[in-house]
Amino acid sequence: MSVDPTADRPVYQQVADILRDRIRTGELAPGQLLPSEPHMVDEFGVARSTARQALAVLRGEGLVVTVPRRGTVVRPRADAEIVTLVPGQEAEARMPSPDERRRLKIPEGVPVFVVKRPGQEPEVYPADRTRLRAADEQ
Amino acid sequence: MSVDPTADRPVYQQVADILRDRIRTGELAPGQLLPSEPHMVDEFGVARSTARQALAVLRGEGLVVTVPRRGTVVRPRADAEIVTLVPGQEAEARMPSPDERRRLKIPEGVPVFVVKRPGQEPEVYPADRTRLRAADEQ
DNA sequence: GCCCATTTGTCCGTATGTATA
DNA sequence: TTATACATACGGACAAATGGG
């Protein structure tokens, strides 16, 4: 459960692995605060920059959200609204632009759906609050 | 076209903005190498760690891919295979786990589609090579 | 095959700013 | 006011692998 600086795997990845595992097992539940950066410095014996690097990995995976001066919490699951895809319509997924992230309040590590409807502007939906569903047959 | 350390916007974001713009305008085309980190140190007058932070932003957006000892290139667009969603089926999008990234060779900043088919394991598709399409009516 | 310059990866330390409790 | 915690930015150092000559 600790970190080995001589191991092949980078230390920041080892730290990320440990935290990811605590999330996966539920030891760290959604909404719960992860250890603070200074605490991780003590607990794992790494530099603060290394601890931050580990958190950046988890943010990129969409597992956690960091709030300045508060801490880093396990990302809570939002209720997903269902967007219906009518026959023939297509959707893609990608990371949002900085502008989209601001407008739609999308945290790091959360993609968007882009739904293309003929003759209209594509519609963008945050994937943490949206599921796609193909329309039922009549 | 340059960086202002006294501005409100963080320097690494300013650098990311400049590079993002060069990509958007086509000045940096898909497949093309971005300036190396040491080059950015010279060009923008920032520390290497700051240049790296800017590149990390762009990787997180899925705009660029960094290859160790090669450099960072504008992510080339892959041909997208179409996955059909039959009526009633649902799909979500999220960032891949480290394991999925290895298995499916997914670069940073690229999400996956997860298609839920009743009575089967969910199927995972890299979103840079996949589009979803609702099945046509008969 | 060998050397060397280039380039990214990792890890550390320090410092300052700023908002919160 | 003080302590806490994250954000930003700088700097240095070494490792490792690639590619050119």
Side-chain angles (χ1 to χ4, degrees), chain A residues 10-12 45-47 49-50 53 69-70:
Chain A
V11 172
Y12 75 93
V46 299
S49 47
T50 303
Q53 209 175 348
R69 279 147 248 113
R70 277 300 190 63

Side-chain angles (χ1 to χ4, degrees), chain B:
Chain B
M1 208 69 96
S2 191
V3 159
D4 174 13
T6 73
D8 256 11
R9 189 152 178 80
V11 172
Y12 75 91
Q13 289 284 6
Q14 295 181 47
V15 174
D17 290 345
I18 292 171
L19 297 174
R20 193 186 298 108
D21 219 59
R22 290 185 189 168
I23 294 171
R24 193 186 50 77
T25 63
E27 181 183 336
L28 287 170
Q32 195 175 339
L33 267 175
L34 274 67
S36 74
E37 292 168 6
H39 186 280
M40 291 169 59
V41 171
D42 290 343
E43 177 176 359
F44 299 118
V46 299
R48 188 183 155 213
S49 47
T50 303
R52 283 180 64 75
Q53 208 175 347
L55 292 178
V57 168
L58 301 180
R59 277 196 301 271
E61 295 172 9
L63 293 181
V64 303
V65 177
T66 297
V67 183
R69 278 147 250 111
R70 276 298 192 66
T72 299
V73 301
V74 182
R75 185 157 67 81
R77 313 254 308 168
D79 298 328
E81 173 198 352
I82 292 180
V83 170
T84 300
L85 214 57
V86 303
Q89 278 181 351
E90 291 189 358
E92 58 182 39
R94 56 164 173 77
M95 297 311 283
S97 68
D99 193 65
E100 289 166 339
R101 287 194 47 205
R102 272 191 305 273
R103 284 192 346 249
L104 301 173
K105 299 194 195 307
I106 302 175
E108 255 186 272
V110 172
V112 291
F113 284 114
V114 182
V115 177
K116 314 235 184 192
R117 307 187 187 271
Q120 294 180 34
E121 284 299 297
E123 289 169 12
V124 178
Y125 302 94
D128 61 342
R129 290 166 255 164
T130 311
R131 287 203 310 273
L132 287 191
R133 180 187 171 91
D136 285 313
E137 303 184 82
Q138 298 299 1

Side-chain angles (χ1 to χ4, degrees), chain A residues 20-102:
Chain A
R20 195 186 298 107
D21 219 60
R22 290 184 188 169
I23 294 171
R24 193 185 50 75
T25 62
E27 181 181 337
L28 288 170
Q32 194 174 341
L33 219 50
L34 273 68
S36 75
E37 291 169 4
H39 185 281
M40 289 168 60
V41 171
D42 291 343
E43 177 175 359
F44 300 118
V46 299
R48 190 182 152 214
S49 47
T50 303
R52 282 181 65 74
Q53 209 175 348
L55 293 177
V57 169
L58 301 180
R59 277 196 302 272
E61 295 172 10
L63 293 181
V64 303
V65 177
T66 297
V67 183
R69 279 147 248 113
R70 277 300 190 63
T72 299
V73 300
V74 181
R75 184 158 68 79
R77 313 253 307 168
D79 298 327
E81 174 196 350
I82 292 180
V83 170
T84 300
L85 215 55
V86 302
Q89 278 181 352
E90 291 189 359
E92 57 183 38
R94 56 165 172 77
M95 295 313 282
S97 69
D99 195 64
E100 290 166 339
R101 286 193 50 203
R102 272 191 304 273

